[in-house]
Amino acid sequence: MEGADWSGLLKGMGLLALSVSGGLALGKAIIALSLPERLLGSLLPRLRRLRIPAQALFALGVSLGSSRAGSALVAEAYGQGILSEREALFGTLLQSFPGYLKRWLVSFPVAAALAGTAGAIYSVAVLARSFCRFMLFLFLLRGRGATENEETVRGTEGRRGRGFSFLGTLARTLPAAWAFYALAYLATPALQEFIEARGASFPLLSAAGWTVAAASFAHVNAALGVAGGALASGSLTTAQAVLALLTGNMLAVLSRVLRQDIAFWIGIFPGRMVRSLFVWNLVTLVATMAATVCLAAIPVLWGW
């Protein structure tokens, strides 16, 4: 573990503790006050026809400010027996898109400014990919009929209020979340080195392209800046820059999912739900990211 950024690890674990405890506290307060039912009361008959639980819809509004707060609200509703396992699963996976859409309105002009046309294409491709996942999860959330949530609530009414206390939940889940975060954090540099070493065997990306992809581990703006410089110097074409940016994004996102998303879910959900979230999130991410990378590779193969 020589050269490990221990201060960064400790800072990340502290932020994880704050996000888990803050999210749980917010979720418990919202559910205890019945805010979804009170604020969306007039819409409940329509929501039942649309097969969208009020708590999941309310969480989407909360996720415009913080996707983790929205996920924590879903976790609390699931723990209280208000949402079924399926509703909690796909209701949680829905939460990432509203916040990303809000950030995209700011990040798109930045991407275009740093990497020109390549940056704009990359930004639109990532948004389209996220939207496709959102629509898939929304379809799956609504997929089993309008009355399932009502039946779940009636069948689990006795479970309300019997979940773990706030401090009990933290004591039960936070150590495991810290351990997973630390493991993923310390493994990320080795993963990055492995990818850079093996990446040369991928013929569609030049050395300049892999430099762009590797910069994505630091920050997307770093990758966009490197891509802009390579485009200006003629080291990359627009098509090659888009492919490099999407490849780097795919690798960096997979690392972030392990380091942040799974660690946070461990902090707020029981183990069975975390496994389901991990599988659905990973499979859909890999499928959509691989599709966008393959599409981006076509112009490169054609020599554009």
Side-chain angles (χ1 to χ4, degrees):
M1 296 294 180
E2 292 183 5
D5 182 9
W6 296 107
S7 63
L9 173 60
L10 292 175
K11 179 181 178 181
M13 291 175 68
L15 291 175
L16 177 62
L18 288 175
S19 64
V20 169
S21 58
L24 286 173
L26 178 63
K28 284 182 176 295
I30 290 175
I31 294 300
L33 295 172
S34 300
L35 289 183
E37 293 86 348
R38 292 181 180 182
L39 297 179
L40 301 175
S42 61
L43 297 177
L44 285 179
R46 185 175 301 177
L47 291 176
R48 291 191 184 98
R49 289 196 297 271
L50 294 175
R51 304 193 296 273
I52 300 176
Q55 293 75 19
L57 184 63
F58 191 86
L60 283 175
V62 172
S63 68
L64 283 170
S66 170
S67 61
R68 291 190 170 186
S71 297
L73 171 56
V74 174
E76 179 63 18
Y78 173 64
Q80 294 290 332
I82 300 171
L83 295 180
S84 69
E85 183 174 338
R86 180 184 62 84
E87 290 167 338
L89 171 62
F90 298 117
T92 299
L93 293 171
L94 283 174
Q95 301 307 314
S96 62
F97 181 71
Y100 179 75
L101 179 60
K102 180 181 176 181
R103 294 192 302 274
W104 185 85
L105 297 175
V106 176
S107 64
F108 174 76
V110 173
L114 289 174
T117 302
I121 294 173
Y122 159 77
S123 185
V124 171
V126 174
L127 177 67
R129 185 183 74 197
S130 299
F131 178 72
C132 288
R133 293 181 70 237
F134 176 81
M135 293 304 296
L136 171 64
F137 295 142
L138 184 62
F139 172 77
L140 292 171
L141 175 66
R142 301 175 61 241
R144 287 191 183 177
T147 61
E148 179 181 331
N149 187 56
E150 296 172 6
E151 293 171 355
T152 301
V153 173
R154 286 196 298 268
T156 58
E157 200 66 39
R159 283 203 298 149
R160 286 191 169 197
R162 294 186 182 180
F164 288 95
S165 67
F166 175 71
L167 293 179
T169 302
L170 288 180
R172 178 177 59 91
T173 62
L174 199 51
W178 273 335
F180 194 94
Y181 178 90
L183 179 63
Y185 183 93
L186 294 173
T188 295
L191 176 64
Q192 183 177 355
E193 292 176 5
F194 175 82
I195 290 169
E196 291 177 5
R198 301 292 182 181
S201 61
F202 184 51
L204 292 181
L205 281 183
S206 63
W210 278 111
T211 301
V212 172
S216 297
F217 280 92
H219 194 275
V220 62
N221 286 348
L224 288 164
V226 174
L231 286 164
S233 66
S235 301
L236 292 176
T237 65
T238 296
Q240 290 171 334
V242 171
L243 178 60
L245 286 167
L246 288 172
T247 301
N249 173 262
M250 178 173 65
L251 300 174
V253 164
L254 291 176
S255 171
R256 178 185 57 78
V257 166
L258 291 175
R259 189 175 69 251
Q260 297 181 8
D261 291 353
I262 303 301
F264 179 72
W265 290 336
I266 289 174
I268 62 174
F269 282 109
R272 178 179 174 181
M273 178 62 75
V274 173
R275 289 191 292 272
S276 296
L277 285 167
F278 173 73
V279 171
W280 275 98
N281 196 38
L282 183 65
V283 169
T284 55
L285 271 175
V286 169
T288 53
M289 289 189 298
T292 54
V293 168
C294 289
L295 289 173
I298 294 175
V300 177
L301 287 170
W302 289 347
W304 291 3

